[in-house]
Amino acid sequence: MPKTVIMPKFEMAQETGTVSVWLKQNGDPVEKGEPILEIETDKATMEVESPADGTLAGICANPGQIVPIGQVIAYILQPGESLPSEDIRAQESAGTLRRTTAVARQMAQKHGVDLRSVSPAAGERLTRTDVEQHLLSRQQQSASPNDVHKVRAVPAARRLARQMGVALDTVTGSGPQGRIQSNDVRRQMGLAKETDQPVAESAIYAGAVVGRR
């Protein structure tokens, strides 16, 4: 998962920082701890270090731009990784994206779900279950009575899915012609419990070295 570079906080009363200059550009290889940009505050100019080895990408704050503390300003990619979708990046750069597990984010991207429209069932972190519940609700709101039966499932599986809040279109059926069985719903519930473990919040503060103006 791409590492995020955010506007760090250097001072107790600091609310924003100004991008002075990028020392590295999109596509440049960087090493963990290597200075990648300079930030100006009311009191000093600081160098912001890369939080990881990789390739700098997705710079979204220009020199002279004032950025709130904690806002994403770039990404560090590992080999084979790509930038998040434009929608996710827009939310991250605006500071509106909730803390989200990796599995929930992948499911949201797969089904075209705007995470701003999903509410967590507990706490502040969005999980796979929250996204599944959102998909189920969206399916029920948009479907006509006949549309509900487009997903092949035995009646017992449909009842279990409704009771447990599982979206049937996320379940792989093992019955004849792919028909969903009750065990398929239970297996999906077990998979969610096993894989939907909270991950560290995507915002990773870059290190900083205090310098002089």
Side-chain angles (χ1 to χ4, degrees):
M1 187 174 180
K3 299 288 186 181
T4 54
V5 180
I6 69 169
M7 175 60 69
K9 184 173 183 177
F10 299 104
E11 304 161 6
M12 290 295 294
Q14 181 186 351
E15 296 182 353
T16 63
T18 302
V19 176
S20 177
V21 60
W22 284 94
L23 305 175
K24 296 289 185 176
Q25 302 300 320
N26 284 330
D28 287 348
V30 296
E31 296 180 355
K32 184 176 182 179
E34 179 181 8
I36 56 177
L37 77 151
E38 291 183 354
I39 297 295
E40 294 182 0
T41 69
D42 292 337
K43 298 181 179 180
T45 297
M46 290 85 164
E47 290 181 338
V48 178
E49 300 175 350
S50 173
D53 295 340
T55 301
L56 181 63
I59 293 175
C60 52
N62 298 318
Q65 184 173 340
I66 299 175
V67 181
I69 298 303
Q71 181 170 307
V72 175
I73 54 178
Y75 297 84
I76 305 297
L77 304 181
Q78 301 302 309
E81 288 185 335
S82 58
L83 288 170
S85 67
E86 290 186 8
D87 180 61
I88 295 296
R89 283 154 55 194
Q91 293 177 56
E92 287 183 327
S93 64
T96 58
L97 186 63
R98 292 189 179 97
R99 297 174 64 185
T100 308
T101 63
V103 175
R105 182 171 298 187
Q106 291 169 1
M107 176 172 283
Q109 288 182 308
K110 177 181 178 181
H111 294 280
V113 174
D114 184 346
L115 288 172
R116 289 172 294 185
S117 64
V118 182
S119 299
E124 298 181 355
R125 189 187 300 272
L126 292 177
T127 67
R128 174 176 180 157
T129 301
D130 297 322
V131 178
E132 286 182 336
Q133 187 61 42
H134 177 82
L135 287 170
L136 179 63
S137 176
R138 188 172 69 178
Q139 179 184 17
Q140 292 173 341
Q141 291 175 3
S142 62
S144 66
N146 292 330
D147 289 336
V148 176
H149 299 285
K150 288 184 178 180
V151 177
R152 292 177 174 272
V154 298
R158 292 184 184 277
R159 287 195 299 271
L160 181 60
R162 284 196 299 270
Q163 293 170 0
M164 305 309 297
V166 174
L168 284 175
D169 59 359
T170 66
V171 181
T172 300
S174 62
Q177 298 181 330
R179 190 179 299 276
I180 297 172
Q181 312 293 310
S182 296
N183 283 338
D184 298 325
V185 177
R186 296 189 183 95
R187 189 179 304 110
Q188 180 74 3
M189 292 162 52
L191 178 63
K193 291 179 180 179
E194 293 174 3
T195 60
D196 196 16
Q197 297 299 320
V199 296
E201 187 173 1
S202 64
I204 299 177
Y205 281 79
V209 177
V210 178
R212 296 182 178 178
R213 287 187 179 274

